[in-house]
Amino acid sequence: MHTENIEYMAIENPFVFGKAAEGTYFTDKTEDAKRLHANLTHGINTIIISPRRWGKTSLVKKVIADINRPDIKPVFIDIFQCKSEYEFYHAFASAVIKQTSSRLDEWVETAKNFLSNISPKFSFGSDPMNDFSLSFEWNPKDDTETDILQLPEKIAQKKDIHLVICLAEFQQIADFDDTLKFQKKLRSVWQHQQNVTYCMFGSKKHLMENIFNDKANPFYKFGDMMFLKKIPTEEWVPFICAKFQETGKKISPELASKICEATENLSSYVQHLAWVVWYKTDKVVTNKDVTAAIDDLLEQNKVFFQREVEQLSELQLNFLRALANGVTTGFSRKDVIKKYRLESSANVQSVKKALLKKDLINVDGQEISFNDSLFKQWLKRQTFYD
Protein backbone atom coordinates (compact mmCIF):
# COMPACT_ATOMS: atom_id res chain seq x y z
CA MET A 1 0.00 0.00 0.00
CA HIS A 2 2.84 2.39 0.84
CA THR A 3 4.53 1.79 -2.52
CA GLU A 4 1.28 2.33 -4.41
CA ASN A 5 0.83 5.65 -2.64
CA ILE A 6 4.31 6.82 -3.66
CA GLU A 7 3.61 5.89 -7.29
CA TYR A 8 0.30 7.76 -7.18
CA MET A 9 1.96 10.89 -5.81
CA ALA A 10 4.65 10.74 -8.50
CA ILE A 11 2.01 10.61 -11.24
CA GLU A 12 -0.18 13.28 -9.66
CA ASN A 13 2.61 15.88 -9.27
CA PRO A 14 2.53 17.71 -12.61
CA PHE A 15 4.63 20.78 -11.73
CA VAL A 16 7.94 21.40 -9.97
CA PHE A 17 9.40 24.53 -8.38
CA GLY A 18 12.05 25.41 -5.82
CA LYS A 19 14.50 23.05 -7.54
CA ALA A 20 15.73 22.34 -11.03
CA ALA A 21 13.00 21.30 -13.45
CA GLU A 22 14.29 18.11 -15.04
CA GLY A 23 12.90 15.44 -17.34
CA THR A 24 9.23 15.96 -18.23
CA TYR A 25 9.07 19.03 -15.96
CA PHE A 26 11.42 20.94 -18.26
CA THR A 27 9.81 22.94 -21.03
CA ASP A 28 10.97 24.93 -24.05
CA LYS A 29 14.25 26.93 -24.12
CA THR A 30 14.87 24.90 -27.29
CA GLU A 31 17.25 27.38 -28.89
CA ASP A 32 19.12 28.03 -25.63
CA ALA A 33 19.48 24.27 -25.04
CA LYS A 34 20.69 23.73 -28.60
CA ARG A 35 23.31 26.47 -28.31
CA LEU A 36 24.51 25.34 -24.88
CA HIS A 37 24.71 21.71 -26.02
CA ALA A 38 26.82 22.75 -29.02
CA ASN A 39 29.11 24.86 -26.85
CA LEU A 40 29.72 22.23 -24.19
CA THR A 41 30.31 19.40 -26.67
CA HIS A 42 32.71 21.51 -28.76
CA GLY A 43 34.88 22.91 -25.98
CA ILE A 44 33.39 26.44 -25.78
CA ASN A 45 33.43 27.96 -22.29
CA THR A 46 29.99 29.42 -21.59
CA ILE A 47 28.64 32.03 -19.20
CA ILE A 48 24.87 32.05 -18.64
CA ILE A 49 23.39 35.31 -17.38
CA SER A 50 19.83 36.08 -16.36
CA PRO A 51 17.95 37.21 -13.24
CA ARG A 52 16.72 34.74 -10.62
CA ARG A 53 14.04 32.18 -11.40
CA TRP A 54 14.61 32.21 -15.15
CA GLY A 55 15.57 28.53 -15.28
CA LYS A 56 19.38 28.59 -15.58
CA THR A 57 19.98 25.53 -13.42
CA SER A 58 17.21 23.58 -15.13
CA LEU A 59 18.68 24.43 -18.53
CA VAL A 60 22.19 23.36 -17.57
CA LYS A 61 21.05 20.10 -15.97
CA LYS A 62 18.85 19.34 -18.97
CA VAL A 63 21.71 19.85 -21.42
CA ILE A 64 24.36 17.87 -19.54
CA ALA A 65 21.86 15.02 -19.07
CA ASP A 66 21.23 14.99 -22.82
CA ILE A 67 24.92 14.93 -23.80
CA ASN A 68 25.08 11.20 -23.02
CA ARG A 69 28.50 10.55 -24.57
CA PRO A 70 31.13 8.26 -23.03
CA ASP A 71 33.94 10.64 -23.98
CA ILE A 72 32.33 13.64 -22.21
CA LYS A 73 31.85 13.68 -18.44
CA PRO A 74 29.91 16.52 -16.74
CA VAL A 75 30.73 17.72 -13.22
CA PHE A 76 28.18 19.92 -11.43
CA ILE A 77 29.43 22.12 -8.57
CA ASP A 78 27.26 24.51 -6.54
CA ILE A 79 29.47 27.03 -4.76
CA PHE A 80 26.65 28.97 -3.08
CA GLN A 81 27.90 27.96 0.39
CA CYS A 82 31.52 28.89 -0.34
CA LYS A 83 32.57 32.01 1.56
CA SER A 84 36.31 31.90 0.88
CA GLU A 85 38.98 30.58 -1.49
CA TYR A 86 39.69 27.75 0.92
CA GLU A 87 36.07 26.57 0.86
CA PHE A 88 36.01 26.88 -2.93
CA TYR A 89 39.05 24.61 -3.30
CA HIS A 90 37.46 22.01 -1.02
CA ALA A 91 34.16 22.06 -2.92
CA PHE A 92 35.92 22.02 -6.29
CA ALA A 93 38.26 19.12 -5.48
CA SER A 94 35.57 17.03 -3.77
CA ALA A 95 33.09 17.41 -6.64
CA VAL A 96 35.64 16.68 -9.36
CA ILE A 97 36.93 13.56 -7.59
CA LYS A 98 33.46 12.30 -6.67
CA GLN A 99 31.84 12.83 -10.07
CA THR A 100 34.68 11.46 -12.18
CA SER A 101 35.21 8.26 -10.20
CA SER A 102 32.84 5.37 -9.70
CA ARG A 103 34.57 3.42 -6.94
CA LEU A 104 35.74 4.24 -3.44
CA ASP A 105 39.30 3.07 -4.08
CA GLU A 106 39.39 5.21 -7.24
CA TRP A 107 38.45 8.30 -5.24
CA VAL A 108 41.31 7.74 -2.82
CA GLU A 109 43.76 6.93 -5.60
CA THR A 110 42.82 10.04 -7.58
CA ALA A 111 43.26 12.31 -4.57
CA LYS A 112 46.66 10.85 -3.69
CA ASN A 113 48.00 10.81 -7.26
CA PHE A 114 46.93 14.26 -8.37
CA LEU A 115 47.06 16.19 -5.10
CA SER A 116 50.56 15.25 -4.11
CA ASN A 117 51.22 18.21 -1.82
CA ILE A 118 48.48 17.28 0.62
CA SER A 119 47.25 14.31 2.59
CA PRO A 120 43.55 14.01 1.77
CA LYS A 121 41.20 12.68 4.43
CA PHE A 122 37.83 11.18 3.52
CA SER A 123 34.80 11.22 5.83
CA PHE A 124 31.94 8.94 4.84
CA GLY A 125 28.23 9.10 5.58
CA SER A 126 25.62 6.36 5.72
CA ASP A 127 26.09 5.64 2.01
CA PRO A 128 29.87 5.49 1.48
CA MET A 129 29.52 5.15 -2.29
CA ASN A 130 27.74 8.50 -2.63
CA ASP A 131 28.07 10.40 0.63
CA PHE A 132 31.56 11.59 1.46
CA SER A 133 33.46 14.75 2.24
CA LEU A 134 37.08 15.50 1.51
CA SER A 135 39.21 17.50 3.92
CA PHE A 136 42.82 18.57 3.66
CA GLU A 137 45.26 21.23 4.72
CA TRP A 138 48.27 22.64 2.98
CA ASN A 139 51.00 25.19 3.33
CA PRO A 140 50.03 28.35 1.44
CA LYS A 141 53.60 28.48 0.08
CA ASP A 142 53.03 25.21 -1.72
CA ASP A 143 51.49 25.07 -5.19
CA THR A 144 48.47 23.09 -4.02
CA GLU A 145 45.89 25.64 -5.21
CA THR A 146 47.18 25.26 -8.76
CA ASP A 147 47.17 21.46 -8.39
CA ILE A 148 43.50 21.57 -7.40
CA LEU A 149 42.60 23.86 -10.29
CA GLN A 150 44.52 21.54 -12.64
CA LEU A 151 42.76 18.46 -11.26
CA PRO A 152 40.07 18.28 -14.01
CA GLU A 153 42.67 18.52 -16.79
CA LYS A 154 44.87 15.82 -15.25
CA ILE A 155 41.93 13.45 -14.73
CA ALA A 156 40.66 14.09 -18.26
CA GLN A 157 44.08 13.32 -19.73
CA LYS A 158 44.45 10.12 -17.72
CA LYS A 159 40.97 8.85 -18.59
CA ASP A 160 41.12 10.12 -22.19
CA ILE A 161 37.85 12.03 -21.78
CA HIS A 162 36.64 15.63 -21.87
CA LEU A 163 35.26 17.18 -18.69
CA VAL A 164 32.51 19.79 -18.58
CA ILE A 165 32.70 21.68 -15.27
CA CYS A 166 29.41 23.47 -14.43
CA LEU A 167 29.78 26.03 -11.64
CA ALA A 168 26.47 27.21 -10.16
CA GLU A 169 26.21 30.50 -8.23
CA PHE A 170 29.59 31.54 -9.57
CA GLN A 171 28.98 35.15 -8.52
CA GLN A 172 29.89 34.08 -4.96
CA ILE A 173 33.58 34.52 -5.78
CA ALA A 174 32.98 38.27 -6.02
CA ASP A 175 32.62 38.32 -2.22
CA PHE A 176 35.89 36.52 -1.51
CA ASP A 177 38.76 38.49 0.04
CA ASP A 178 40.98 39.91 -2.72
CA THR A 179 38.62 38.52 -5.35
CA LEU A 180 40.52 39.94 -8.32
CA LYS A 181 43.68 38.09 -7.31
CA PHE A 182 41.64 34.89 -6.95
CA GLN A 183 39.96 35.39 -10.32
CA LYS A 184 43.36 35.92 -11.97
CA LYS A 185 44.53 32.65 -10.44
CA LEU A 186 41.50 30.75 -11.79
CA ARG A 187 41.78 32.15 -15.29
CA SER A 188 45.56 31.74 -15.50
CA VAL A 189 45.11 28.00 -14.96
CA TRP A 190 41.80 27.29 -16.70
CA GLN A 191 42.51 29.17 -19.94
CA HIS A 192 45.29 26.73 -20.85
CA GLN A 193 43.29 23.54 -20.30
CA GLN A 194 42.59 21.61 -23.51
CA ASN A 195 40.42 18.81 -22.11
CA VAL A 196 38.07 20.81 -19.88
CA THR A 197 35.18 23.14 -20.72
CA TYR A 198 33.67 25.49 -18.14
CA CYS A 199 30.06 26.62 -17.77
CA MET A 200 29.46 29.34 -15.18
CA PHE A 201 26.12 30.75 -14.11
CA GLY A 202 24.64 32.52 -11.13
CA SER A 203 21.47 34.06 -9.71
CA LYS A 204 22.76 37.64 -9.33
CA LYS A 205 22.77 39.08 -12.81
CA HIS A 206 24.60 42.33 -12.05
CA LEU A 207 27.48 40.53 -10.32
CA MET A 208 27.83 38.01 -13.15
CA GLU A 209 27.89 40.83 -15.68
CA ASN A 210 30.58 42.60 -13.68
CA ILE A 211 32.77 39.48 -13.52
CA PHE A 212 32.51 38.56 -17.20
CA ASN A 213 31.59 41.75 -19.05
CA ASP A 214 33.98 44.27 -17.47
CA LYS A 215 37.22 44.77 -19.38
CA ALA A 216 39.06 45.41 -16.11
CA ASN A 217 38.27 41.96 -14.72
CA PRO A 218 40.25 38.74 -15.33
CA PHE A 219 37.33 36.72 -16.72
CA TYR A 220 36.49 39.26 -19.46
CA LYS A 221 35.96 37.41 -22.78
CA PHE A 222 36.45 34.03 -21.10
CA GLY A 223 33.69 32.39 -23.15
CA ASP A 224 30.39 32.65 -24.96
CA MET A 225 27.95 34.90 -23.10
CA MET A 226 24.38 33.59 -23.14
CA PHE A 227 21.74 36.05 -21.96
CA LEU A 228 18.63 33.97 -21.34
CA LYS A 229 15.18 35.17 -22.19
CA LYS A 230 11.92 34.20 -20.54
CA ILE A 231 9.94 31.30 -21.96
CA PRO A 232 7.15 32.99 -23.97
CA THR A 233 3.49 32.52 -23.11
CA GLU A 234 2.82 30.64 -26.36
CA GLU A 235 5.27 27.94 -25.19
CA TRP A 236 4.02 27.82 -21.59
CA VAL A 237 0.32 27.47 -22.45
CA PRO A 238 0.45 24.06 -24.19
CA PHE A 239 2.81 22.78 -21.46
CA ILE A 240 0.42 23.82 -18.66
CA CYS A 241 -2.65 22.52 -20.50
CA ALA A 242 -0.97 19.18 -21.20
CA LYS A 243 0.07 18.73 -17.55
CA PHE A 244 -3.51 19.28 -16.39
CA GLN A 245 -4.84 16.90 -19.03
CA GLU A 246 -2.33 14.18 -18.10
CA THR A 247 -3.68 14.20 -14.55
CA GLY A 248 -7.38 14.15 -15.43
CA LYS A 249 -8.03 17.87 -15.09
CA LYS A 250 -8.65 20.65 -17.60
CA ILE A 251 -7.52 24.24 -17.92
CA SER A 252 -8.35 26.51 -20.86
CA PRO A 253 -5.58 28.24 -22.85
CA GLU A 254 -6.99 31.58 -21.64
CA LEU A 255 -6.59 30.68 -17.96
CA ALA A 256 -3.16 29.13 -18.59
CA SER A 257 -2.23 32.50 -20.14
CA LYS A 258 -3.49 34.23 -16.99
CA ILE A 259 -1.02 32.17 -14.93
CA CYS A 260 1.78 33.40 -17.19
CA GLU A 261 0.59 37.00 -17.00
CA ALA A 262 0.38 36.94 -13.20
CA THR A 263 3.94 35.61 -12.87
CA GLU A 264 5.38 37.56 -15.83
CA ASN A 265 6.58 34.22 -17.23
CA LEU A 266 9.22 33.61 -14.53
CA SER A 267 9.79 29.86 -14.82
CA SER A 268 9.76 28.96 -11.13
CA TYR A 269 6.70 31.08 -10.39
CA VAL A 270 4.80 29.80 -13.44
CA GLN A 271 5.21 26.23 -12.20
CA HIS A 272 4.47 27.22 -8.59
CA LEU A 273 1.26 29.07 -9.44
CA ALA A 274 0.20 26.32 -11.86
CA TRP A 275 0.66 23.83 -9.01
CA VAL A 276 -1.51 25.90 -6.63
CA VAL A 277 -4.20 26.19 -9.29
CA TRP A 278 -3.96 22.45 -9.95
CA TYR A 279 -4.43 21.32 -6.36
CA LYS A 280 -7.26 23.82 -5.78
CA THR A 281 -9.19 22.51 -8.80
CA ASP A 282 -11.34 19.40 -8.79
CA LYS A 283 -11.79 18.89 -12.53
CA VAL A 284 -12.11 22.08 -14.61
CA VAL A 285 -10.24 25.28 -13.74
CA THR A 286 -12.31 28.43 -13.38
CA ASN A 287 -11.25 32.06 -13.32
CA LYS A 288 -12.10 32.05 -9.61
CA ASP A 289 -9.60 29.20 -9.06
CA VAL A 290 -6.76 31.16 -10.68
CA THR A 291 -7.59 34.34 -8.75
CA ALA A 292 -7.72 32.40 -5.48
CA ALA A 293 -4.39 30.72 -6.29
CA ILE A 294 -2.74 34.10 -6.92
CA ASP A 295 -4.07 35.38 -3.58
CA ASP A 296 -2.82 32.23 -1.89
CA LEU A 297 0.66 32.53 -3.36
CA LEU A 298 0.94 36.18 -2.34
CA GLU A 299 -0.19 35.30 1.17
CA GLN A 300 2.41 32.52 1.38
CA ASN A 301 5.16 35.01 0.54
CA LYS A 302 3.82 37.92 2.61
CA VAL A 303 6.29 37.49 5.47
CA PHE A 304 9.27 37.53 3.11
CA PHE A 305 7.98 40.59 1.26
CA GLN A 306 7.30 42.46 4.50
CA ARG A 307 10.82 41.71 5.66
CA GLU A 308 12.16 43.04 2.36
CA VAL A 309 10.24 46.29 2.71
CA GLU A 310 11.45 46.78 6.28
CA GLN A 311 15.02 46.83 4.99
CA LEU A 312 14.33 49.53 2.40
CA SER A 313 14.83 53.26 2.81
CA GLU A 314 11.94 55.60 2.03
CA LEU A 315 13.55 56.60 -1.27
CA GLN A 316 14.10 52.98 -2.27
CA LEU A 317 10.48 52.16 -1.50
CA ASN A 318 9.30 55.18 -3.48
CA PHE A 319 11.39 54.05 -6.45
CA LEU A 320 9.82 50.58 -6.31
CA ARG A 321 6.40 52.22 -5.99
CA ALA A 322 6.98 53.99 -9.29
CA LEU A 323 8.25 50.80 -10.90
CA ALA A 324 5.27 48.78 -9.64
CA ASN A 325 2.92 51.42 -11.04
CA GLY A 326 4.32 51.04 -14.53
CA VAL A 327 7.23 53.51 -14.68
CA THR A 328 10.09 51.57 -16.30
CA THR A 329 12.14 54.46 -17.79
CA GLY A 330 12.62 58.18 -17.19
CA PHE A 331 12.92 58.03 -13.42
CA SER A 332 14.87 61.30 -13.49
CA ARG A 333 12.04 63.23 -15.13
CA LYS A 334 10.76 66.07 -12.97
CA ASP A 335 7.17 64.79 -12.96
CA VAL A 336 8.25 61.31 -11.82
CA ILE A 337 10.58 62.70 -9.14
CA LYS A 338 7.78 64.92 -7.82
CA LYS A 339 4.99 62.32 -7.93
CA TYR A 340 7.00 59.59 -6.22
CA ARG A 341 9.03 61.86 -3.89
CA LEU A 342 12.45 60.82 -5.24
CA GLU A 343 13.90 64.29 -4.38
CA SER A 344 16.53 64.54 -7.16
CA SER A 345 18.04 62.81 -10.19
CA ALA A 346 21.21 62.15 -8.15
CA ASN A 347 19.09 60.26 -5.62
CA VAL A 348 17.52 58.24 -8.43
CA GLN A 349 20.94 56.97 -9.53
CA SER A 350 22.08 56.05 -6.00
CA VAL A 351 18.76 54.31 -5.27
CA LYS A 352 18.97 52.34 -8.52
CA LYS A 353 22.47 51.14 -7.62
CA ALA A 354 21.33 50.14 -4.12
CA LEU A 355 18.35 48.17 -5.45
CA LEU A 356 20.58 46.43 -8.00
CA LYS A 357 22.91 45.41 -5.19
CA LYS A 358 19.95 44.10 -3.21
CA ASP A 359 19.00 42.09 -6.33
CA LEU A 360 15.49 43.56 -6.36
CA ILE A 361 15.58 45.07 -9.84
CA ASN A 362 16.96 44.23 -13.26
CA VAL A 363 18.37 46.89 -15.60
CA ASP A 364 18.36 46.14 -19.32
CA GLY A 365 19.58 49.21 -21.18
CA GLN A 366 17.15 51.97 -20.27
CA GLU A 367 14.46 49.54 -19.10
CA ILE A 368 14.14 48.69 -15.40
CA SER A 369 12.02 45.83 -14.08
CA PHE A 370 11.36 43.84 -10.92
CA ASN A 371 13.34 40.66 -10.44
CA ASP A 372 10.41 39.21 -8.48
CA SER A 373 7.03 39.53 -10.21
CA LEU A 374 5.13 38.40 -7.09
CA PHE A 375 6.85 41.05 -4.98
CA LYS A 376 5.69 43.60 -7.55
CA GLN A 377 2.10 42.36 -7.29
CA TRP A 378 2.21 42.35 -3.50
CA LEU A 379 3.57 45.90 -3.41
CA LYS A 380 0.80 47.15 -5.70
CA ARG A 381 -1.79 45.85 -3.24
CA GLN A 382 -0.37 47.64 -0.21
CA THR A 383 -2.06 50.70 1.26
CA PHE A 384 1.02 52.88 0.88
CA TYR A 385 0.25 52.89 -2.85
CA ASP A 386 -3.24 54.29 -2.48
Side-chain angles (χ1 to χ4, degrees):
M1 179 64 71
H2 182 64
T3 303
E4 291 175 355
N5 186 52
I6 292 176
E7 291 175 350
Y8 173 79
M9 288 301 294
I11 294 172
E12 295 292 332
N13 183 9
F15 302 101
V16 65
F17 53 91
K19 59 182 180 180
E22 302 180 61
T24 59
Y25 296 109
F26 184 87
T27 182
D28 195 56
K29 292 195 182 296
T30 306
E31 290 304 313
D32 288 329
K34 184 178 179 180
R35 177 176 168 185
L36 183 58
H37 188 282
N39 283 359
L40 300 187
T41 55
H42 289 81
I44 307 297
N45 294 328
T46 305
I47 298 95
I48 304 175
I49 294 180
S50 75
R52 289 179 296 167
R53 300 187 182 91
W54 284 36
K56 293 179 293 296
T57 301
S58 298
L59 174 65
V60 172
K61 289 193 171 184
K62 162 71 174 175
V63 169
I64 61 178
D66 285 349
I67 290 176
N68 196 27
R69 282 174 46 179
D71 60 324
I72 298 179
K73 179 69 176 177
V75 175
F76 191 94
I77 309 170
D78 189 339
I79 63 169
F80 180 72
Q81 298 295 334
C82 297
K83 306 301 180 186
S84 66
E85 285 186 48
Y86 190 74
E87 292 180 359
F88 176 91
Y89 291 128
H90 275 75
F92 189 83
S94 296
V96 170
I97 291 172
K98 183 175 183 178
Q99 296 179 47
T100 58
S101 306
S102 58
R103 303 189 316 273
L104 175 59
D105 57 345
E106 194 177 359
W107 290 343
V108 177
E109 181 185 359
T110 298
K112 289 182 177 179
N113 288 345
F114 295 129
L115 301 175
S116 56
N117 291 338
I118 64 176
S119 299
K121 296 179 181 179
F122 289 90
S123 301
F124 300 97
S126 57
D127 180 5
M129 291 309 298
N130 294 293
D131 183 15
F132 84 89
S133 60
L134 175 65
S135 62
F136 41 76
E137 295 181 359
W138 66 86
N139 188 330
K141 294 180 181 179
D142 291 335
D143 204 24
T144 305
E145 292 98 334
T146 301
D147 283 347
I148 290 174
L149 297 179
Q150 283 282 27
L151 188 59
E153 178 74 4
K154 292 178 179 178
I155 291 175
Q157 288 177 350
K158 181 182 179 182
K159 294 177 176 288
D160 193 24
I161 58 175
H162 193 97
L163 293 187
V164 175
I165 307 294
C166 301
L167 291 151
E169 303 299 343
F170 192 74
Q171 80 282 336
Q172 289 298 114
I173 68 170
D175 291 332
F176 292 178
D177 291 338
D178 203 351
T179 181
L180 287 182
K181 181 179 178 181
F182 178 62
Q183 291 178 41
K184 287 177 182 177
K185 190 183 302 182
L186 296 185
R187 174 150 192 171
S188 68
V189 175
W190 289 351
Q191 69 182 352
H192 298 296
Q193 296 177 350
Q194 300 300 309
N195 300 284
V196 184
T197 301
Y198 290 90
C199 176
M200 293 97 137
F201 55 102
S203 60
K204 294 190 176 181
K205 180 175 179 283
H206 69 287
L207 289 179
M208 290 292 289
E209 287 180 334
N210 183 57
I211 292 171
F212 292 102
N213 217 21
D214 188 330
K215 294 180 180 179
N217 287 335
F219 274 108
Y220 179 68
K221 297 290 186 183
F222 183 71
D224 182 29
M225 301 273 284
M226 288 181 60
F227 291 86
L228 297 190
K229 296 181 179 180
K230 295 177 182 177
I231 298 174
T233 299
E234 57 266 27
E235 299 292 343
W236 273 120
V237 168
F239 173 81
I240 295 170
C241 291
K243 288 294 184 180
F244 273 79
Q245 186 175 2
E246 288 169 8
T247 52
K249 299 185 181 185
K250 184 177 181 180
I251 184 171
S252 68
E254 292 75 20
L255 291 179
S257 295
K258 186 174 179 179
I259 290 175
C260 298
E261 180 183 355
T263 56
E264 296 185 1
N265 291 53
L266 289 185
S267 296
S268 180
Y269 276 160
V270 171
Q271 297 235 29
H272 195 167
L273 181 56
W275 161 254
V276 178
V277 173
W278 183 89
Y279 82 70
K280 283 181 172 291
T281 301
D282 290 328
K283 287 295 181 181
V284 179
V285 179
T286 66
N287 187 66
K288 184 178 180 181
D289 292 329
V290 177
T291 301
I294 294 170
D295 293 342
D296 189 21
L297 200 53
L298 290 174
E299 183 65 23
Q300 288 179 34
N301 287 276
K302 182 175 70 173
V303 173
F304 303 107
F305 296 154
Q306 288 174 333
R307 190 176 304 156
E308 199 74 68
V309 167
E310 289 170 0
Q311 297 173 359
L312 297 173
S313 69
E314 182 180 358
L315 284 175
Q316 290 169 356
L317 187 57
N318 289 344
F319 187 100
L320 291 180
R321 173 190 175 187
L323 188 60
N325 285 350
V327 179
T328 58
T329 60
F331 281 85
S332 295
R333 295 200 319 263
K334 289 183 179 179
D335 58 323
V336 174
I337 289 175
K338 181 180 179 180
K339 180 177 181 179
Y340 293 100
R341 303 189 303 279
L342 296 174
E343 297 184 359
S344 70
S345 58
N347 281 332
V348 167
Q349 295 307 312
S350 62
V351 165
K352 185 169 73 172
K353 289 180 180 178
L355 293 174
L356 265 174
K357 190 173 182 180
K358 289 175 178 288
D359 205 32
L360 291 177
I361 63 172
N362 175 48
V363 178
D364 188 3
Q366 297 299 314
E367 291 280 335
I368 302 174
S369 59
F370 274 86
N371 272 343
D372 191 320
S373 54
L374 288 187
F375 185 39
K376 173 184 175 181
Q377 281 211 45
W378 181 82
L379 279 174
K380 289 179 73 172
R381 295 187 178 195
Q382 304 313 300
T383 54
F384 45 73
Y385 290 111
D386 292 342

